[in-house]
Amino acid sequence: MSADIAKINAAAAALDFVEDGMLLGLGTGSTAAHFVRLLGERVKKGLNVRGVPTSEETDRLAREVGVPLVPVERVGALDLAVDGADEVDGQFRLIKGGGAALLREKIIAGAAKHFVVIADESKMVETLGAFPLPVEVTPFGFTLTAARIYDALKLTGCKGAEASLRESAPNTPVVTDGGNYIIDCRCLAIPHPEALADALKRITGVVDHGLFLGMARTVIIGKAKGAEVLER
Ligand code: 5RP
């Protein structure tokens, strides 16, 4: 099965949650991009919505396909946020940030009355952690911060943990839209996501992390034919 068809089916099913007049959080990544393109088609047919993008990449795409945008500074709350995920467990806990957009994604999802996750079946997991957990850190002192992140991983029971700087080429760190670096945390599994999330947030130098806990209300799993909508 092509993962792309499943992603499109998940994105298409998320359109059912969109109502005229809504202010929408627009996620980042290939699945969210399908949603933005489909939304653009609806806007061309007369749907009246406005979006707040979670990355420069999504900002460009939304403009290209004709989705009207609102600067995030002018927004109080959003009606709905739709975004992809790197992993989703049975309790709707997520790992996000594979596209290095986790900070803006978390700000927007947290400000939305309803957060809908769209993903293909491959993203559903029993236990979070096979996908390396992204942690956004300030460039200043990032090696020190990475060492403390490593300690937090070990302390919260992540076996075989490694924390490494994300690079686009050797010695070229990936820089997020906010001007920060990403530390990718590899471990066999994250046995206690809440404890790890708390420990990471207490580290000075950590801007935020890719664990999205207690945020998603709806998860749409795209399949070869159609999509399954799960509600928390
Ligand atoms: C970007 C993200 C994406 O939502 C996540 O990486 C999933 O991407 P894709 O839909 O391309 O599989 O968190 O920071």
Side-chain angles (χ1 to χ4, degrees), residues 122-133:
S122 71
K123 307 290 181 62
M124 301 304 293
V125 298
E126 285 271 323
T127 307
L128 297 176
F131 188 91
L133 173 68

Side-chain angles (χ1 to χ4, degrees), residues 7 28-32 83-86 96-102 105 120 123 131:
K7 288 178 182 190
T28 295
S30 57
T31 319
D83 203 347
D86 299 299
K96 285 187 52 53
L102 69 94
E105 290 173 333
D120 62 273
K123 307 290 181 62
F131 188 91

Side-chain angles (χ1 to χ4, degrees), residues 207-220:
V207 180
D208 218 316
H209 54 76
L211 285 167
F212 284 48
L213 309 178
M215 297 182 79
R217 189 183 354 139
T218 305
V219 173
I220 303 180

Side-chain angles (χ1 to χ4, degrees), residues 22-26 39 49-53 67-71 75 78:
M22 275 187 165
L23 182 56
L24 304 172
L26 306 175
L39 191 65
V49 289
R50 293 167 307 147
V52 182
V67 176
L69 298 180
V70 188
V75 162
L78 295 101

Side-chain angles (χ1 to χ4, degrees), residues 6-143:
K7 288 178 182 190
I8 292 168
N9 287 339
L15 284 175
D16 290 347
F17 292 86
V18 177
E19 291 170 20
D20 208 56
M22 275 187 165
L23 182 56
L24 304 172
L26 306 175
T28 295
S30 57
T31 319
H34 287 306
F35 176 76
V36 174
R37 284 189 208 98
L38 292 169
L39 191 65
E41 287 172 19
R42 290 284 175 93
V43 168
K44 282 197 184 88
K45 288 181 187 152
L47 179 73
N48 168 35
V49 289
R50 293 167 307 147
V52 182
T54 54
S55 63
E56 301 300 327
E57 179 188 312
T58 300
D59 187 299
R60 279 191 292 276
L61 176 63
R63 288 174 198 279
E64 199 180 298
V65 301
V67 176
L69 298 180
V70 188
V72 68
E73 298 77 12
R74 302 235 186 105
V75 162
L78 295 101
D79 298 297
L80 177 74
V82 179
D83 203 347
D86 299 299
E87 283 188 349
V88 183
D89 79 1
Q91 295 176 55
F92 289 18
R93 297 181 294 192
L94 319 174
I95 287 184
K96 285 187 52 53
L102 69 94
L103 177 61
R104 293 187 184 189
E105 290 173 333
K106 199 180 269 188
I107 291 170
I108 295 303
K113 291 178 198 141
H114 186 174
F115 177 33
V116 173
V117 173
I118 48 178
D120 62 273
E121 276 178 303
S122 71
K123 307 290 181 62
M124 301 304 293
V125 298
E126 285 271 323
T127 307
L128 297 176
F131 188 91
L133 173 68
V135 180
E136 185 158 346
V137 301
T138 57
F140 181 86
F142 77 89
T143 54

